[in-house]
Amino acid sequence: MLRWIYSGLLTAVIFAVAGTFSPQSAFTEDLSDWKAVEQKAKGQTVYFNAWGGAQNINDYIAWVADELDKRHDITVVHVKLDDTANAVATVVAEKAAGTDEGGSIDLIWINGENFASMKRQNLLLSPGWAEKLPNWKYVDHESKPTIQTDFTIPVEGLESPWGMAKMVFFHDTARGIEMPDSFAQLVEWTKEHNGRFSYPAPPDFIGSSFLKQALSESVADPSVLLEPVDEATFSEVTAPLFDQLDAMHPNLWRGGRTFPKNKEALRRMLADNEIDIAFAFSPAEASNAIANKELPDSVRSFVFSGGTLGNTHFVAIPYNASASHGALVLANFLLSPEAQLRKQDPVIWGDPTVLAMEKLHADKRASFEALDLGIATLGPADLGPTLHEPHASWMTRIEEEWIRRYGVAN
Amino acid sequence: MTRKDESLRLQKVTIQLVGRTLIEIDREIQPGDVLTVMGSSGSGKSTLLAFIAGFLDPVFEASGRITLAGTDITGKPPEHRRVGLLFQDPLLFPHMSVGQNLLFAVRAGDRDDRNGKVQEALEQAGLAEFHDRDPATLSGGQKARAALMRVMLSEPHALLLDEPFSRLDADRRSRIREFVFAEARRRQLPVLLVTHDSEDAEQAGGPVFHLD
Amino acid sequence: MILKAAPALAIAVLIGPILCGLGVTILPAFGYFPALGGNEFSLDPWRQLFATPGLLRSCLISLATGLVTTLLALAVVAGFVAGWSHTRMFRAIQHLVSPLLSVPHAAAAFGLAFLFMPSGWLVRLFSPWPSGFERPPDWLIIHDPLGIAMMAGLFAKELPFLMLVTLAAMPQANPRPGSMIATGLGYGRTAGFLFAVWPSIYPQIRLAVFAVIAYASSVVDVALILGPTNPAPLAVRLVSWMNDPDLTVRFKASAGAVLQLGITATCLLIWVAGEKLFSIIFARIRSSGRRFDKDQAVRIGFSVLMIATAGAVFAGLFILALWSFSGFWPFPKAFPDELTFNTWQRQLPGIGQPLTTTILVGIAATIFALALALGCLEREARTGRTGGNRALALIYIPLIVPQASFVFGLQLFFLSVGLHASLYALILVHLVFVLPYVFLSLSDPWRAWDTRYAQAARTLGASRNSVFWQIRAPMLLRPILVASAVGFAVSIGQYLPTLLVGAGRWPTITTEAVALASSGDRRVIGVYAFIQMLLPFIGFAAATLVPALLFMRRRDMRAGS
């Protein structure tokens, strides 16, 4: 028995060591011969690791799986994640064990910090493939800069855009409460409406996004945020942010002693009348929740007139994917006007498309224009200006600082 | 079915527990005879039965030989010794019907033949109507008779009785006792009876061996 | 031949994966893990770990949770058993509490959260009248910084466990004469039992108490649902470090896993020291001569606590079920505006796969565990060797070593032997936790069986094997099925091992339910938690019904005889 354990441990260590020296296999497929890619993808099973916390999104992915099966004879399995970091962790563990081929993940729904980390660790299928996909020709990379720069990190075709996101707030108009129009106004607002606002605790994605929104609004010179954090000036740059947070926290829900876990918890708290403002990174969030009977139909969305954060989310293929051809076909399908139209339909998902209307055929364009975005969804014209995402290092440092200051109850 | 001249022989049997001798016996029981072993509780009478039947706990040390029907059975597993054993309790298997209990004891063979033997045994014991009954619904005497017939159906070459009547009331006890001894005599089985009840010994009629 | 290997195989299953997991955890904890760039041993992971904000507080919460919940649950069980054993009330409450054992931790925790949160059902019931709340009060009840909600949730699940373990130990302690003598001497019922009988019960349940301490000090799923968030208990933070996209955090996570082992060990040491202290104080009180004969209020107090705990869990489960059928249900309404099947209809298509995995893994792990347990017990019956206390301690190892401390290492291990994310690895890791429970619940009835039945069968010409298959196993069918139901329930409740070893490829009802905890949609949580609760219930129902039907006409095979 003991011998078995020892030999097992030994194997583990040997594999681990081997993993560090194994050569990085470069991806050499010629994507211009798309028919050949589709041929190789036939019969593959693609494990699509995507956050599985929302039913409408799960339903959408189930539809995608059906279509891929019908059109390309590809089986898509949706591995529902609690946190995308888990999928990154899996690839890391596989690399550690020397599993450079036949990995368990074929496609990951990803952006921001997770992308930066995988790119840095060479965990992604490379060289870049996204801009060689047949459907890339429809993508609006000209007027949507976040498609080629993910949180200031150059994408370089290592991930393929899937949808757009923008921070929107929502509230219940039936309560008749005046809403703030900037972060500074929000801080004042919480003084009058004690315990009626909160935000998810970082490092939750939406919580961190809220901090970045606040940072972008409170920083004296926004251009510093496009560069990596300079430790020498960090505390000076962020002083206004943390001063305002210090002022705001005692007036938050539960006195700022605990924070909701994520935007879904925030939405639930709005529904339960525990708070008055919720927010999300998807303009259709409120309409979806109303349709789903999670929020009353008197809820409406709003944005700050000075602008709110926006970004793009992507799909990426790990370097050791078992079914990379299938994953490419899937990524390409996700970019198709048909899939994007369905994704933007608020009844189904409601996520703004990454495609450029003017690049589409007239009939497809008409279908997009005919979508009823839902009663609580702001149209493209009402979404206001987009604030750029700061460099990913800001998020990391701000999260650390936040946790140091507020993450530990006193 | 009867086996004359086939006795149960205990040759220089001694059983010890951590060096202390509990039992020392050297006897032969002729077919149809009853040897009664008497002793108070804790004297090791059940240990003797366990040794003969093949269940001696390894904490005991035993020496000597047991021969039955001309063969040495000392080292054989219990199921090959052909020693029938009746306990204080009838120990009918509670998940089987009365008939299934009896059938369990009949050796493998033709199905109709085996069922026939069971029915015959039930009739002998006055339990002809009880084939499908739940053993739990039988009276104490009926259970004891069923248990005896179960032992007999396994065609033993000797019968060991471990205070088999002690749980019955006085009236029933004497009748069952008579029934058991009669069956054993009819089949010419050597019988070893372990008891602390002198009445048992009297009715058995054979020699008495006192432990203590 | 196969039987001979059963004990060795069982031991391999019980401690093999734990040793592997711990081994692969300890290396990176000291900086060595070449694949992640750690080529030499160093104490850096520990420095990083100790520099983590709020680490001390996380550790203290874990420590306090382990000790406080166990102490309270044990005290209530002891007080209740002492005050009420051999009464009709006792049997009634026993029947009320027993089913709670089969409710998975996550489902119970969700139920309690739905009941007690400020927007929960209890506040709704009293709002707006008479509480005057038009909107939920701003109370910090769930996720409170001190972890009181988490402790309450754990308490509610540990109470039935300790209760049943105590019940199992009672016959051996032979409580009747001792407590009757004590009451005859003028001692109150409760005190008499505690003085005369409890000292012979406690040693028998001590390992189970240790298991409870270990579980409570390292729990993840209940902590995610009810526990403090800033900071969270150590085990929860550990899991988030293990999943951090920044790879260097793995070293810190491994050091944290070793620290978790230390925290649990500290809990156990404090407990053992507490036992000593307690027995001294206890002996003082006992020899003081005081009779404590006016214990009516105390007795009622304990029974109320038992009933309230069981009642809260049941009410919580009912609310879960209600949410799963509700339409829009605003505060402060005590009941939803409409009941619909919408949520179920939407969820059902997605439930198929996790449900299949849950049942498949549960049944497979249970069958293997049952085969191993029966093999060990039968081998024990044939050789007369029981293995004694050392074997019992081995069985408890998987229940005492905190999961969070070795499952991550185990994940790396499976990866390296090519079993990563395989169904086999998942079944094996479930088996590690299922086997002890199956063995523990089967061993008592198995050993209590009257072996004269076997002797009778042997002398009738039956071989050992046919005794096993035709006599012993059928006669013990009910305990075998109950043990299987226990094993199945344990498998269903597994969260962390399923999450890490299954690597997302094998979602189960439990991992889906806990993942949905972050969705905040109570109706969807309701559906999953309801199914999670239903599965073990079906197992136990089958364990009761099958023998009842099979042995309908066999009086001595009925329960209780």
Side-chain angles (χ1 to χ4, degrees):
Chain A
M1 228 280 301
L2 274 177
R3 267 184 57 193
W4 176 71
I5 293 165
Y6 281 134
S7 63
L9 272 177
L10 202 64
T11 326
V13 171
I14 289 169
F15 270 95
V17 174
T20 45
F21 295 118
S22 65
Q24 197 68 238
S25 51
F27 179 69
T28 51
E29 192 70 43
D30 176 17
L31 295 192
S32 60
D33 186 0
W34 188 250
K35 280 269 172 288
V37 174
E38 286 182 337
Q39 199 55 41
K40 284 182 184 164
K42 242 187 188 118
Q44 286 190 329
T45 298
V46 177
Y47 286 93
F48 184 16
N49 285 41
W51 181 75
Q55 194 54 41
N56 56 332
I57 298 176
N58 296 347
D59 291 345
Y60 177 80
I61 295 175
W63 170 79
V64 169
D66 274 351
E67 292 300 310
L68 267 273
D69 185 33
K70 268 188 259 170
R71 299 176 186 204
H72 300 285
D73 187 22
I74 293 171
T75 308
V76 176
V77 179
H78 179 194
V79 179
K80 297 187 186 94
L81 300 179
D82 176 22
D83 182 347
T84 302
N86 291 357
V88 181
T90 304
V91 180
V92 167
E94 287 176 351
K95 191 183 184 195
T99 311
D100 289 332
E101 278 169 24
S104 63
I105 298 174
D106 299 306
L107 197 68
I108 309 182
W109 181 11
I110 198 168
N111 76 349
E113 203 185 346
N114 288 311
F115 170 71
S117 168
M118 287 192 83
K119 188 185 175 195
R120 196 168 55 240
Q121 305 292 333
N122 291 325
L123 296 175
L124 293 170
L125 186 74
S126 61
W129 46 271
E131 297 180 10
K132 298 176 196 152
L133 294 178
N135 284 334
W136 174 261
K137 60 177 180 280
Y138 302 123
V139 173
D140 184 12
H141 51 91
E142 294 88 352
S143 70
K144 297 188 171 77
T146 52
I147 285 176
Q148 283 173 312
T149 314
D150 184 3
F151 287 61
T152 75
I153 306 285
V155 171
E156 293 168 355
L158 295 173
E159 51 181 358
S160 170
W162 192 18
M164 300 297 293
K166 191 164 192 307
M167 182 171 261
V168 287
F169 298 86
F170 40 100
H171 70 122
D172 187 351
T173 53
R175 294 179 204 165
I177 298 166
E178 188 83 7
M179 287 293 127
D181 191 39
S182 67
F183 175 60
Q185 282 188 25
L186 176 65
V187 175
E188 288 304 309
W189 184 92
T190 57
K191 285 181 190 156
E192 288 161 46
H193 301 88
N194 231 308
R196 303 297 292 174
F197 179 77
S198 191
Y199 58 93
D204 171 75
F205 179 70
I206 296 295
S208 299
S209 298
F210 175 77
L211 288 186
K212 284 185 290 184
Q213 171 78 32
L215 176 70
S216 302
E217 284 192 53
S218 58
V219 71
D221 172 15
S223 69
V224 297
L225 301 180
L226 300 179
E227 301 296 320
V229 173
D230 177 2
E231 280 303 325
T233 57
F234 177 75
S235 57
E236 187 192 326
V237 171
T238 57
L241 170 69
F242 285 106
D243 286 349
Q244 282 176 298
L245 288 180
D246 284 342
M248 182 171 80
H249 276 190
N251 301 324
L252 295 186
W253 176 80
R254 307 284 186 262
R257 285 190 294 154
T258 190
F259 292 83
K261 195 167 186 275
N262 51 29
K263 70 180 164 84
E264 287 75 19
L266 211 57
R267 184 168 69 208
R268 202 267 308 147
M269 284 152 60
L270 178 67
D272 281 346
N273 202 354
E274 293 194 20
I275 53 173
D276 286 326
I277 304 175
F279 49 94
F281 232 84
S282 159
E285 188 92 359
S287 296
N288 279 336
I290 293 168
N292 205 12
K293 297 195 169 165
E294 286 181 72
L295 288 176
D297 56 13
S298 46
V299 166
R300 293 293 179 272
S301 303
F302 66 98
V303 289
F304 292 164
S305 52
T308 56
L309 284 182
N311 66 37
T312 303
H313 51 96
F314 301 82
V315 290
I317 304 174
Y319 81 104
N320 64 349
S322 304
S324 47
H325 296 97
L328 287 167
V329 174
L330 174 53
N332 189 55
F333 176 74
L334 294 175
L335 276 182
S336 66
E338 190 185 354
Q340 288 280 315
L341 176 69
R342 197 175 166 87
K343 191 162 180 284
Q344 185 158 2
D345 186 344
V347 179
I348 292 160
W349 185 342
D351 218 19
T353 180
V354 296
L355 304 185
M357 287 304 117
E358 66 276 11
K359 293 183 183 177
L360 299 177
H361 295 292
D363 56 329
K364 289 279 193 287
R365 187 159 58 225
S367 312
F368 271 96
E369 278 155 11
L371 281 178
D372 174 10
L373 295 181
I375 47 169
T377 308
L378 300 171
D382 304 316
L383 276 173
T386 297
L387 299 179
H388 269 283
E389 290 279 356
H391 185 271
S393 61
W394 283 96
M395 178 142 133
T396 314
R397 282 295 284 119
I398 294 278
E399 280 172 1
E400 278 172 14
E401 187 63 16
W402 189 91
I403 289 165
R404 195 182 66 75
R405 284 169 180 254
Y406 314 114
V408 182
N410 304 303
Chain B
M1 200 163 160
T2 54
R3 286 165 305 278
K4 292 187 176 69
D5 311 324
E6 292 185 346
S7 59
L8 171 64
R9 240 193 276 170
L10 309 176
Q11 293 175 311
K12 295 183 180 159
V13 169
T14 55
I15 301 176
Q16 293 184 311
L17 181 61
V18 280
R20 189 171 68 92
T21 302
L22 295 176
I23 296 163
E24 233 177 331
I25 188 167
D26 187 85
R27 290 283 180 126
E28 179 168 9
I29 310 167
Q30 295 299 330
D33 283 359
V34 181
L35 171 69
T36 306
V37 176
M38 290 204 58
S40 52
S41 55
S43 60
K45 10 184 235 307
S46 297
T47 314
L48 178 63
L49 292 193
F51 179 59
I52 299 170
F55 304 118
L56 194 66
D57 193 295
V59 296
F60 296 100
E61 287 161 52
S63 63
R65 284 149 48 91
I66 312 156
T67 52
L68 178 61
T71 51
D72 184 349
I73 61 165
T74 321
K76 284 189 176 178
E79 62 267 34
H80 295 148
R81 293 189 179 207
R82 297 220 139 184
V83 171
L85 182 55
L86 271 183
F87 298 86
Q88 280 175 358
D89 300 298
L91 297 177
L92 295 173
F93 305 127
H95 59 298
M96 299 179 181
S97 70
V98 174
Q100 286 166 339
N101 260 283
L102 267 58
L103 190 64
F104 183 80
V106 183
R107 295 189 184 262
D110 176 63
R111 216 180 92 196
D112 291 342
D113 209 31
R114 296 178 73 224
N115 284 327
K117 283 181 181 171
V118 168
Q119 202 50 47
E120 195 184 322
L122 284 171
E123 276 160 24
Q124 272 177 38
L127 298 168
E129 309 298 315
F130 287 67
H131 187 283
D132 294 325
R133 284 277 288 273
D134 176 4
T137 62
L138 267 54
S139 73
Q142 289 167 335
K143 282 182 191 166
R145 291 205 299 271
L148 176 71
M149 293 328 287
R150 188 173 67 173
V151 169
M152 291 307 180
L153 280 172
S154 71
E155 298 172 31
H157 295 172
L159 190 58
L160 308 181
L161 306 174
D162 189 357
E163 306 199 30
F165 320 115
S166 57
R167 301 266 165 99
L168 295 171
D169 57 57
D171 179 39
R172 276 218 186 89
R173 188 181 326 180
S174 127
R175 274 189 289 146
I176 293 291
R177 199 156 43 194
E178 212 164 296
F179 181 66
V180 172
F181 292 142
E183 275 297 311
R185 257 195 309 277
R186 195 170 69 78
R187 294 167 194 252
Q188 286 292 292
L189 295 177
V191 178
L192 193 144
L193 168 69
V194 153
T195 184
H196 64 268
D197 181 353
S198 53
E199 222 176 285
D200 280 345
E202 255 166 56
Q203 197 170 359
V208 178
F209 180 87
H210 286 274
L211 283 174
D212 284 313
Chain C
M1 184 54 214
I2 295 167
L3 207 54
K4 218 167 157 181
L9 207 58
I11 290 170
V13 163
L14 288 172
I15 62 172
I18 295 175
L19 287 181
C20 288
L22 285 178
V24 182
T25 305
I26 285 172
L27 288 180
F30 289 94
Y32 188 80
F33 209 74
L36 297 181
N39 290 314
E40 50 197 80
F41 288 95
S42 85
L43 290 175
D44 282 347
W46 292 91
R47 281 186 209 110
Q48 285 167 23
L49 177 67
F50 290 123
T52 309
L55 181 77
L56 180 65
R57 200 183 162 101
S58 290
C59 291
L60 288 177
I61 290 170
S62 295
L63 203 67
T65 308
L67 292 171
V68 172
T69 54
T70 312
L71 185 64
L72 287 178
L74 186 65
V76 171
V77 167
F80 175 71
V81 171
W84 294 94
S85 63
H86 303 290
T87 63
R88 201 179 296 167
M89 174 75 145
F90 186 80
R91 285 193 74 88
I93 293 186
Q94 179 191 335
H95 285 135
L96 183 69
V97 170
S98 301
L100 291 184
L101 193 66
S102 72
V103 180
H105 279 85
F110 277 126
L112 291 174
F114 285 15
L115 193 61
F116 287 114
M117 62 202 299
S119 57
W121 196 69
L122 269 188
V123 174
R124 286 169 189 252
L125 196 59
F126 295 104
S127 300
W129 185 89
S131 69
F133 295 134
E134 290 292 341
R135 45 200 208 188
D138 194 3
W139 295 335
L140 187 43
I141 302 183
I142 304 291
H143 301 303
D144 58 292
L146 290 177
I148 293 167
M150 172 175 67
M151 292 189 202
L154 286 167
F155 170 84
K157 271 297 293 168
E158 284 165 5
L159 199 65
F161 177 67
L162 289 175
M163 174 81 184
L164 283 158
V165 175
T166 305
L167 283 177
M170 290 260 277
Q172 279 214 48
N174 195 16
R176 211 65 202 268
S179 69
M180 276 164 72
I181 290 168
T183 41
L185 292 171
Y187 283 91
R189 199 188 167 99
T190 312
F193 187 98
L194 290 178
F195 289 153
V197 185
W198 184 252
S200 52
I201 290 180
Y202 182 71
Q204 295 182 62
I205 65 167
R206 192 162 177 246
L207 283 172
V209 171
F210 285 2
V212 168
I213 295 171
Y215 184 83
S217 66
S218 65
V219 65
V220 176
D221 51 358
V222 177
L224 280 171
I225 297 164
L226 295 174
T229 50
N230 54 339
L234 183 62
V236 172
R237 301 185 77 183
L238 210 54
V239 174
S240 76
W241 297 336
M242 284 167 183
N243 290 326
D244 196 292
D246 181 358
L247 310 180
T248 54
V249 181
R250 294 308 154 80
F251 292 99
K252 178 168 109 172
S254 301
V258 178
L259 180 64
Q260 174 67 60
L261 194 64
I263 294 290
T264 300
T266 310
C267 269
L268 292 173
L269 283 176
I270 294 174
W271 185 269
V272 171
E275 282 174 352
K276 298 246 152 61
L277 187 70
F278 181 77
S279 71
I280 294 169
I281 297 171
F282 193 64
R284 276 244 178 103
I285 298 174
R286 190 174 47 203
S287 47
S288 73
R290 288 176 60 197
R291 288 321 197 231
F292 303 101
D293 52 341
K294 294 204 172 60
D295 63 357
Q296 198 59 25
V298 176
R299 289 179 61 205
I300 289 172
F302 280 123
S303 64
V304 167
L305 268 174
M306 293 293 285
I307 295 171
T309 306
V313 177
F314 283 126
L317 295 175
F318 172 72
I319 299 304
L320 276 179
L322 193 58
W323 268 104
S324 77
F325 291 107
S326 80
F328 186 59
W329 186 1
F331 190 87
K333 290 200 168 124
F335 291 96
D337 289 345
E338 48 169 344
L339 290 178
T340 96
F341 285 100
N342 280 352
T343 316
W344 282 90
Q345 274 166 359
R346 287 174 55 117
Q347 296 302 319
L348 278 179
I351 282 171
Q353 202 238 327
L355 188 63
T356 314
T357 308
T358 308
I359 293 172
L360 191 71
V361 172
I363 288 178
T366 304
I367 286 175
F368 286 125
L370 196 62
L372 281 173
L374 284 173
C376 289
L377 288 167
E378 181 63 10
R379 170 101 182 129
E380 169 188 302
R382 291 185 188 186
T383 60
R385 289 197 299 262
T386 59
N389 283 333
R390 291 236 303 271
L392 194 63
L394 274 181
I395 289 163
Y396 268 98
I397 281 183
L399 311 185
I400 291 176
V401 178
Q403 291 186 346
S405 69
F406 72 90
V407 173
F408 178 61
L410 197 60
Q411 182 194 20
L412 280 178
F413 174 78
F414 279 135
L415 200 66
S416 63
V417 296
L419 275 173
H420 182 57
S422 73
L423 197 59
Y424 304 109
L426 191 60
I427 290 170
L428 177 62
V429 76
H430 275 226
L431 182 58
V432 174
F433 303 104
V434 169
L435 180 57
Y437 285 102
V438 169
F439 191 92
L440 290 171
S441 64
L442 190 56
S443 59
D444 279 347
W446 192 266
R447 288 170 181 155
W449 186 69
D450 188 345
T451 52
R452 292 180 308 163
Y453 281 111
Q455 297 181 351
R458 293 291 294 283
T459 56
L460 295 175
S463 67
R464 286 175 152 176
N465 287 340
S466 62
V467 170
F468 177 85
W469 291 109
Q470 295 185 47
I471 309 293
R472 195 165 197 167
M475 277 181 74
L476 293 170
L477 184 66
R478 179 186 301 273
I480 287 172
L481 290 179
V482 169
S484 306
V486 169
F488 187 58
V490 168
S491 170
I492 287 164
Q494 294 302 318
Y495 170 69
L496 194 59
T498 316
L499 185 71
L500 290 179
V501 174
R505 282 287 182 85
W506 301 101
T508 62
I509 293 294
T510 298
T511 59
E512 296 280 272
V514 179
L516 282 166
S518 62
S519 90
D521 187 343
R522 278 187 282 228
R523 287 164 304 169
V524 181
I525 293 173
V527 168
Y528 275 84
F530 186 73
I531 294 175
Q532 203 206 11
M533 162 189 94
L534 202 61
L535 286 175
F537 176 78
I538 292 171
F540 280 98
T544 316
L545 283 178
V546 169
L549 287 175
L550 225 47
F551 299 124
M552 200 156 58
R553 297 188 51 233
R554 299 281 175 265
R555 208 175 62 198
D556 286 351
M557 291 297 293
R558 272 176 220 160
S561 58

